[in-house]
Amino acid sequence: MSHFKSKLTAFLILISFSFASCVSTKTALYDHYSYQKTTEVKVEASTLMNEATSPYLFHKKEVDALFFNIDKLVEYEKNKPNNEITFAMWKMLTDKEKNLLTAFFKRWETKEVLSPVFLEESKKQILDALDLLIQYEIKKDKESKDELLDLINRNK
């Protein structure tokens, strides 16, 4: 009987540790929808950014459509459990004051056309940030999480 009790005790301890480790992780699981939509946003943004050397008004409808899709994705990410890091990154990307995605398109609208040098430098920063977000969604590991958190913290 004591052999059974020790096995039961060991099993209960193992289950307790397993449950505790899952609860403390607090990271949303891989989400194919998030991955797919973030990848689509990256491709659409990159394509539109390439047009920033021509007048903004020629592309306003495309920019509006891009941000409509981004708004839907941000709302989805905001309401996903244990998704604070991804949501924080989207908030940063869409902050008009953070010199990333939304700020780029706002500057293009204000200036009407952007220089190729500014375009290339901005595009690299924005696409690198989106790549970090995509890698985090794919991997959900400590390294990709730390890289994303580092970028978020540097841009506070």
Side-chain angles (χ1 to χ4, degrees):
M1 187 69 161
S2 73
H3 180 64
F4 175 74
K5 281 185 178 180
S6 64
K7 279 189 170 187
L8 180 60
T9 302
F11 176 73
L12 291 175
I13 290 171
L14 179 66
I15 294 295
S16 296
F17 281 128
S18 296
F19 180 73
S21 69
C22 289
V23 170
S24 67
T25 302
K26 293 278 188 187
T27 299
L29 299 174
Y30 168 78
D31 183 334
H32 184 73
Y33 179 83
S34 293
Y35 167 74
Q36 178 183 352
K37 293 302 179 183
T38 303
T39 302
E40 287 174 11
V41 164
K42 179 187 171 197
V43 171
E44 289 172 25
S46 177
T47 300
L48 266 173
M49 291 173 85
N50 288 336
E51 302 298 325
T53 56
S54 65
Y56 177 85
L57 287 177
F58 294 171
H59 305 281
K60 183 175 178 2
K61 286 184 182 179
E62 295 163 279
V63 173
D64 290 346
L66 171 67
F67 279 96
F68 180 68
N69 289 330
I70 290 171
D71 289 346
K72 290 187 292 186
L73 180 56
V74 170
E75 190 64 24
Y76 175 81
E77 297 292 354
K78 178 178 88 174
N79 291 297
K80 194 163 54 170
N82 301 323
N83 200 41
E84 293 79 14
I85 295 170
T86 299
F87 179 62
M89 183 63 176
W90 275 112
K91 282 182 13 184
M92 186 180 77
L93 282 163
T94 57
D95 188 327
K96 292 177 183 169
E97 306 300 319
K98 297 291 183 194
N99 293 324
L100 284 170
L101 191 62
T102 300
F104 174 87
F105 286 99
K106 189 69 181 161
R107 182 179 180 109
W108 182 18
E109 181 180 24
T110 302
K111 298 282 186 183
E112 191 61 29
V113 295
L114 299 175
S115 74
V117 173
F118 180 81
L119 166 64
E120 288 308 312
E121 191 58 38
S122 297
K123 186 176 173 183
K124 180 180 178 353
Q125 289 177 347
I126 293 165
L127 297 183
D128 285 351
L130 286 166
D131 280 339
L132 285 177
L133 190 54
I134 290 167
Q135 287 304 305
Y136 177 65
E137 186 59 49
I138 291 169
K139 296 177 183 175
K140 297 290 182 166
D141 64 355
K142 183 177 177 8
E143 183 181 339
S144 60
K145 179 180 180 179
D146 289 347
E147 288 177 9
L148 204 54
L149 285 171
D150 182 52
L151 180 61
I152 291 167
N153 290 328
R154 281 189 317 221
N155 285 282
K156 281 189 174 183

